[in-house]
Structure formats: C-alpha cells, structure tokens
C-alpha cells in the first residue's frame, strides 16, 4: 500500500459537509492501483472524486487530523476543476510552542515554519547493516526552538540547498514531520519518502517571516552556525590516520585515555557471558527495580524493552590476547542480523543457554578494532576493552599492515568526544546544545518587536492590491 499525501489531501470530496471548511483528508492509493492513477493525478491540480471508500483514519503516521480516510478503487473517477478556495501549498502550520508542549510521541504529522538557527555536522549510523546519513537542524520562531533529526535522502537535499543560499538565516518550512518525545524533550523526525523541506518558499507566511527577520539587528548577515559534536570520522580516517596503533600487549600496559587501533583475529566468544541485554527505546540499559525494568535515562519503569547485542569475544594478534566487548551496532554489522530476530529463534537462545549460531560467524574474522580507553568507563567493561568501531575492509587492513611497525606516540594525539565513548544506537544518543549558536531568547525578542508592525504592513499591502 502506498500513501498518496501531497495535495491529494486537499481534494474536494463529493457533497460531504466538511469538504467546504478548508479541511484536509488522507487519501490512499493501494500498491496495485498505482499504475492506474500515476499519470492521472498531478500534484497541484484540483479534482472532484467519485466512487471511492471512506473509512475511519488510522496509522502511526497520520498526515491530517481528519477522522476519516479515503481509499481509491479501480472505478474511482477524477475530474479536474478550478477552485480558488483550496490552498495550493496544502500547509497547516503549527508553531513551535505547540510542538514543544507534547509529552509523548504523536501519531499526527505536523507542518511548521521557522528560521534555521543551527545545523550539525553530517554523521552516519548503522541500520540493518547499512550506513544511513543523519543531520540535526535547529529551527526557531517567536515561541522558541526545536531540533529536527533528518535521516536518509533528505540529508543530501539539505546539503545541496545549503550550498545555494546567498547568506543569512533561511526561512524553512517542514511538512509532514513526526513528533518524538525522547529522553524528556521533544524532537522532530522526518519520515522517509514523505517529509518535505522548503527553503524560503514563496508563501505568504514565509514572506512575512522573512521580512520580520530582515529587520533584526544583524539578521541578514548571519550564517547558520554549527551545533552539536564534530562529524564522525570516515572509516579510512578512523583506522589509518587519526589514532595511534598498539599491539594487544601495549594496550594492556598503557595508562593513556583515548582511542587506539588494534588488529587481531577473533579467537571465539567468551563462554558463560551474556550476549544481549534489555534496553529502553532511548537505548539505555534497563535495570531491575522493584521487580520491573527501570530506565535511568527516562527516570521511569518501562514494560516493553528492545533487545540489543553486547558480545564479549577473545581476540589474539599472534603474540598476546585479550577480551573485547562488541556493541549492538558492531555485531549487527558483522552478522547482518538483529538481536530481536535471534532471541525469537529458539527457546534455548531466549533462556541464555547457548548463543545463537549467527554469532559464530564472528569467529575467525580478521578485523581492525577501534578501542576506547577511558579510566572512568562503566564497570561492565572491567577486564575487557570497549570496541567503538570495527573494520573488515581488506584494502584498509592491507594499508594498515603496510605502514610499518606499530608504535606508541610519546603523547596522546587525540582526545575523544563523548559520542565516541558512548556509541549511539537509538534514535540519537544525545544532541549537544552547547557551543556557539544564535541566542534563541534574543531571536524570540526580535520576532516580538516586529510582529505587530509587519502584520499591519502586510494587511495594508493586501488592501491596496
């Protein structure tokens, strides 16, 4: 089934009384009917419909608040018409104050507009063995600010659009964004192949906001500041350029903190150790409290958990050996499987009697390990080394071996940021709100000072026209 959002939600539906109120409704074209309607439905056009079904609205990503939903049939008839009462942009804008008032996830997608007052470096994370791009942007209006987490192809579009801007803080409209409540704060997230992002769009609300922004002191001269931690290094930089190399013996004897690169062969899994743990949706490990799972990150009891890998392995470099701990992302990258799938495979696995056969694929692999040495590391890693990243690329491994003997620099050449110490594996582990970025308090004040003047001016120009 394919959801046809865009301006299908603005169609005039028969003679229903609510069709004349400027409402929007969700319409769906099922997968097998796409070829029939693909050439007929043109975005931006207005149609009258007949011979369709009306059902109750449902779903975790609902683009409108209308209680009903339309389903197209093979017999559905569309007739093109002209209706100036229907908005061509299909926007139903809410302000950021309304977004920040949420205290849980919302199934209703929102449209909102604001000024981009911050952007993070582009980062990547693993999902189902594939690397997915991610960027966080900060959007502000007169009611405050919020962070929008963007994944996938929309990141490429954002990067491309940022290169075309002439300077200044752009007015951004984001359509169909998902509200997420994560670790006590509200975030917005895009939906793949649905969420839209418009820069300085030619709509009245955007033009009005742009004029108010231009009257702010220094507004047009500002550039979008960088927020959050620095970009995650590439695999080549991580394993060949940035960090010192060590043998396992040198790793055991060092007292320095920081990332180190070690090569070795996985000799086997550590017998008798747990290979998974229950985690909250926020990615924090759950503990037992009063007979129930408790999340310290969310500060509450939870009754549903997400299983994640944490696997202890023996690694040898031919001279010495040690225990390494692989995170959920690393195990999924090496085995191409999810922990939840392995837990549901058999009763023996669920009871922790034996590790699943999928984990045996790790044995015998020749890998490069990025080891994070932190003196205050979680006690769970005592006696073992925390692996931050693994590499099995043969070209990188050969380049690592050809660069001469391993060495230990006289002093630490790089200090890790927290994102390398606590490896993210959920929606996003933390969004750093520190650093140099625009004062949202000052921005909100500037909006308030020009709001009344601009609204009056806008209405005057409308009357003159």
């Amino acid at each position: 089934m394919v959801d046809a959002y865009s301006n299908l939600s603005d169609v005039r539906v028969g003679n229903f009384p609510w069709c004349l109120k400027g409402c929007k409704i969700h319409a769906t074209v099922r997968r097998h009917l796409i070829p029939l309607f693909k050439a007929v439905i043109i975005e931006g056009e207005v149609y009258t419909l007949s011979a369709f079904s009306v059902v109750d609205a449902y779903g975790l990503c609902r683009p409108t608040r209308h209680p009903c939903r339309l389903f197209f049939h093979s017999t559905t008839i569309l007739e093109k018409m002209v209706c100036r009462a229907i908005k061509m942009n299909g926007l139903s804008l809410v302000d950021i104050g309304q977004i920040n008032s949420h205290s849980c996830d919302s199934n209703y997608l929102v449209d909102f507009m604001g000024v981009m007052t911050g952007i993070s470096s582009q980062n990547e994370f693993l999902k189902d063995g594939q690397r997915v791009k991610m960027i966080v942007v900060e959007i502000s209006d007169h009611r405050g600010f919020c962070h929008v987490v963007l994944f996938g192809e929309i990141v490429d579009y954002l990067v491309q659009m940022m290169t075309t801007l002439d300077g200044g803080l752009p007015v951004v409209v984001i359509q169909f964004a998902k509200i997420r409540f994560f670790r006590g704060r509200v975030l917005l997230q895009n939906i793949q192949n649905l969420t839209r992002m418009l820069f300085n769009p030619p709509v009245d609300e955007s033009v009005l906001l742009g004029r108010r922004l231009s009257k702010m002191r220094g507004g047009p001269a500002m550039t979008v500041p960088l927020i959050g931690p620095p970009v995650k290094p590439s695999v080549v930089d991580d394993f060949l350029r940035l960090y010192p190399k060590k043998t396992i013996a040198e790793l055991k004897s060092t007292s320095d903190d920081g990332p180190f690169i070690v090569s070795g062969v996985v000799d086997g899994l550590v017998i008798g150790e747990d290979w998974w743990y229950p985690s909250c949706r926020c990615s924090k490990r759950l503990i037992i409290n009063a007979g129930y799972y408790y999340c310290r990150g969310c500060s509450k009891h939870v009754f549903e958990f997400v299983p994640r890998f944490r696997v202890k392995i023996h690694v040898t470099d031919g001279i010495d050996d040690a225990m390494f701990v692989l995170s959920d992302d690393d195990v999924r990258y090496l085995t191409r499987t999810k922990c939840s799938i392995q837990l549901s495979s058999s009763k023996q696995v669920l009871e922790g009697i034996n590790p699943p056969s999928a984990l045996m694929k790790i044995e015998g692999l020749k890998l490069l390990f990025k080891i994070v040495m932190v003196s205050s590391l979680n006690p769970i890693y005592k006696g073992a080394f925390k692996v931050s990243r693994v590499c099995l690329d043969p070209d990188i491994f050969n380049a690592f071996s050809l660069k001469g003997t391993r060495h230990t620099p006289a002093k630490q050449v790089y200090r890790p940021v927290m994102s390398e110490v606590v490896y993210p594996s959920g929606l996003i582990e933390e969004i750093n709100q520190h650093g140099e970025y625009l004062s949202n308090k000052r921005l909100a004040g500037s909006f308030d000072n020009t709001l009344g003047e601009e609204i009056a001016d806008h209405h005057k120009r409308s009357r003159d026209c």
Side-chain angles (χ1 to χ4, degrees), residues 25-26 30 52-58 66-71:
I25 190 168
H26 182 181
R30 290 185 173 91
F52 55 86
S53 296
V54 180
V55 300
D56 291 336
Y58 57 87
H66 201 287
C68 298
R69 179 174 180 173
L70 308 186
F71 275 97

Side-chain angles (χ1 to χ4, degrees), residues 188-462:
L188 288 160
Q189 174 188 341
N190 69 298
I191 304 298
Q192 290 280 22
N193 303 318
L194 174 59
T195 302
R196 291 180 171 184
M197 196 170 190
L198 309 174
F199 285 79
N200 299 319
V203 297
D204 290 344
E205 297 89 347
S206 174
V207 173
L208 182 62
L209 182 61
R211 290 197 182 109
R212 285 156 55 190
L213 180 64
S214 68
K215 293 187 177 183
M216 292 170 51
R217 184 176 62 181
M222 290 182 177
T223 57
V224 181
L226 190 68
I227 61 172
V231 64
K232 187 176 181 179
S234 67
V235 178
V236 174
D237 287 340
D238 241 355
F239 291 96
L240 296 180
R241 297 170 184 160
L242 291 179
Y243 311 110
K245 309 174 186 178
K246 285 189 181 292
T247 63
I248 291 179
E250 291 170 339
L251 195 65
K252 288 180 175 180
S253 61
T254 187
S255 59
D256 294 333
D257 283 354
F260 302 100
I261 308 301
V262 177
S263 67
V265 177
V266 180
D267 205 21
L269 276 61
V270 177
I271 304 301
E273 293 283 348
D274 292 334
W275 53 270
W276 73 278
Y277 67 95
S279 75
C280 179
R281 289 184 61 186
C282 71
S283 301
K284 287 289 187 182
R285 184 187 183 100
L286 297 176
I287 61 173
I288 299 295
N289 179 277
Y292 298 97
Y293 283 126
Y294 181 80
C295 177
R296 290 173 176 170
C298 300
S299 299
K300 65 179 182 180
H301 287 92
V302 296
F303 301 96
E304 293 183 0
F305 67 85
V306 179
R308 299 190 187 277
F309 288 115
R310 179 177 281 124
V311 180
K312 283 189 177 182
I313 58 175
H314 283 292
V315 177
T316 178
D317 60 4
I319 300 174
D320 207 340
D321 60 78
M323 282 193 302
F324 289 178
V325 181
L326 298 178
S327 68
D328 183 73
D329 284 332
D330 292 328
V331 178
R332 288 169 62 179
Y333 168 64
L334 295 173
T335 62
R336 298 294 192 270
T337 186
K338 294 181 179 180
C339 186
S340 57
I341 294 176
Q342 297 305 314
L343 274 179
S344 62
S345 61
S346 72
K347 184 178 179 180
Q348 278 193 335
V349 168
L350 185 60
E351 293 176 348
I353 299 174
N354 294 308
S357 58
L359 293 184
M360 301 306 172
K361 297 178 182 178
I362 301 176
E363 293 188 17
L365 290 180
K366 192 175 184 180
L367 302 170
L368 292 178
F369 300 90
K370 179 182 175 183
I371 303 295
V372 175
M373 299 283 289
V374 182
S375 54
S376 59
L377 202 60
N378 192 314
I380 195 171
Y381 297 110
K382 295 300 182 183
F385 296 98
K386 169 74 168 67
V387 177
S388 174
R389 199 173 188 180
V390 296
C391 175
L392 46 68
D393 188 313
D395 294 332
I396 294 178
F397 206 104
N398 291 336
F400 179 88
S401 302
L402 292 174
K403 286 199 171 185
T405 58
R406 300 178 183 87
H407 62 280
T408 303
K411 60 181 181 179
Q412 178 63 38
V413 296
Y414 182 83
R415 180 65 60 182
V417 296
M418 284 308 298
S419 61
E420 292 180 288
V421 177
V422 185
Y423 196 81
S425 57
L427 170 65
I428 179 173
E429 192 68 26
E430 288 293 341
I431 297 178
N432 189 345
Q433 296 189 26
H434 304 289
E436 297 183 9
Y437 63 97
L438 188 65
S439 168
N440 290 284
K441 184 176 181 180
R442 180 169 64 81
L443 180 64
S446 300
F447 280 138
D448 293 338
N449 292 338
T450 58
L451 178 59
E453 178 186 348
E454 275 298 326
I455 291 176
D457 187 44
H458 178 72
H459 289 320
K460 182 176 182 300
R461 285 194 302 271
S462 299

Side-chain angles (χ1 to χ4, degrees), residues 131-191:
R131 297 195 178 276
V132 180
K133 297 177 181 178
M134 179 184 73
I135 275 184
V136 180
V137 296
E138 181 183 84
I139 307 295
S140 303
D141 68 5
H142 66 287
R143 293 290 303 277
F145 73 97
C146 65
H147 284 124
V148 186
V149 187
L150 302 175
F151 302 99
E153 295 179 359
I154 198 170
V155 174
D156 295 327
Y157 171 76
L158 171 62
V159 172
Q160 178 185 358
M161 291 303 298
M162 293 299 291
T163 62
T164 64
L165 297 177
D166 296 329
L169 302 177
V171 175
V172 177
V173 172
I174 297 182
Q175 189 177 19
F176 302 133
K178 176 84 170 178
I179 296 176
R180 302 292 302 272
F181 192 74
F182 184 72
R183 292 193 178 180
R185 59 182 169 178
V186 176
L187 298 173
L188 288 160
Q189 174 188 341
N190 69 298
I191 304 298

Side-chain angles (χ1 to χ4, degrees), residues 51-89:
F52 55 86
S53 296
V54 180
V55 300
D56 291 336
Y58 57 87
L60 297 177
C61 296
R62 297 166 63 175
T64 80
R65 289 187 172 271
H66 201 287
C68 298
R69 179 174 180 173
L70 308 186
F71 275 97
F72 281 46
H73 300 290
S74 59
T75 55
T76 299
I77 300 173
L78 292 89
E79 296 183 4
K80 190 179 297 187
M81 64 170 293
V82 177
C83 182
R84 299 185 183 278
I86 296 178
K87 293 182 179 180
M88 291 298 101
N89 56 47

Side-chain angles (χ1 to χ4, degrees), residues 92-144:
S92 300
L93 297 173
V94 300
D95 62 48
I96 292 177
Q98 293 172 287
I99 294 172
N100 287 335
S101 65
H102 283 74
S103 58
C104 61
D105 289 2
S106 174
N107 292 339
Y108 295 102
L109 306 181
V110 296
D111 307 339
F112 70 102
M113 177 181 65
V115 180
M116 185 184 294
T117 51
I119 185 170
S120 73
S121 301
Q122 183 174 315
N123 213 325
E124 292 183 349
F125 67 97
L126 283 174
K127 181 180 180 181
D128 300 331
Q130 302 295 321
R131 297 195 178 276
V132 180
K133 297 177 181 178
M134 179 184 73
I135 275 184
V136 180
V137 296
E138 181 183 84
I139 307 295
S140 303
D141 68 5
H142 66 287
R143 293 290 303 277

